[in-house]
Amino acid sequence: MTLTRRIVFGRNPRRTLVRVLVLAVISFVTFGWVLIPVRAEGISMQPTFASGSLHFVSRVAYRYRRPFRGDVIAIKLAGPHVLYVKRIIALPGERIAFIKGQVFVNGAALAEPYVRDRRLWDVPEVQLTAREYFVVGDNRGMRASDHDFGRVDVSRIIGKLLF
Amino acid sequence: MNRRHATRGLLALALVAVAYVVWRGREGDDERAVGARIEALRNDINTSTSDGLGAVAHATQIGSYFTENMVIELGEGTSPIHGRDTLIGIAARLQTRTAAFRLELDDVSVEMVPGGRAADVLLTASFVRRVASTGEESRDAREFSLVCEKDAGTWRIARVTAIDTLR
């Protein structure tokens, strides 16, 4: 066996083939159904996530528990290739409002250490249904009209951003 | 189980996975034709022309992808666009502004309506704009629902409705 063949196929080509197949199946399952790599684009999640940064979405995070307030989640649009990345600030059944940039959940001010700049957003109180979460990006220095935020149905949540 | 059995098992698993992917990706001729038509519209929108007559011709070309009495509903705060002629007029006027954008379409799914004369399409459209000062690209993604109709053998878009993913 020549050196090149040995480097490419290993000492035992059959074993190498098995290893390659195992690796391919593990990668296919992991990055198709368990951990989805996503690249953040845009400024709505700054300063937590910079535009262009790479992250992973866990699709199994909510298999055994419901999303918590403060979780950063991935939300599908027509499919899984373009996603919104937002933070949950209100849970199903809660009431939420923005008054001069401050978030109020069920009438109580919500502490948001992840927000740096705040514009004076005003959003009338919204009552969430049993299937709805309220999501928003961390960049509140933007004008509210330039920022996508609001109620999202639980069926659109595909997972939690891990890092 | 010896090594030979393990190898065969893994090969069989890989074949099943490939067959599954092929089966999921299968689509009929009409679905393919609708998908190709939407892809062609995207290409035409991204081919920008900003000079006089060229802009009108380009807008007319874009209009040819729609039925004569088409409707575009972009959601709250905007009036619906009724009719192909209105759309062509708007497209011609906006030509210089839309030239700065690039349209990308993802997750396009086509479902035929029973009878085969119409199709429901769901897709994510991203309007990508390069910021001249920083060179960075900004992306505004929205979900759309389309109704396509077969008109004299050609698929055309009869209705476009923006979907509010976040309400």
Side-chain angles (χ1 to χ4, degrees), chain B residues 132-160:
Chain B
S133 54
T134 61
E136 276 185 23
E137 286 191 336
S138 74
R139 175 185 294 265
D140 183 16
R142 285 199 78 175
E143 189 178 349
F144 288 91
S145 152
L146 280 61
V147 175
C148 296
E149 291 173 2
K150 204 170 192 175
D151 173 23
T154 305
W155 285 98
R156 295 183 208 280
I157 300 165
R159 179 173 282 272
V160 178

Side-chain angles (χ1 to χ4, degrees), chain B residues 98-161:
Chain B
T98 54
F101 288 84
R102 189 178 77 246
L103 175 67
E104 289 181 5
L105 301 177
D106 290 285
D107 297 318
V108 180
S109 65
V110 181
E111 197 173 316
M112 298 307 297
V113 172
R117 305 289 307 166
D120 292 326
V121 180
L122 198 63
L123 57 84
T124 301
S126 302
F127 303 93
V128 184
R129 186 170 64 95
R130 185 173 288 278
V131 180
S133 54
T134 61
E136 276 185 23
E137 286 191 336
S138 74
R139 175 185 294 265
D140 183 16
R142 285 199 78 175
E143 189 178 349
F144 288 91
S145 152
L146 280 61
V147 175
C148 296
E149 291 173 2
K150 204 170 192 175
D151 173 23
T154 305
W155 285 98
R156 295 183 208 280
I157 300 165
R159 179 173 282 272
V160 178
T161 310

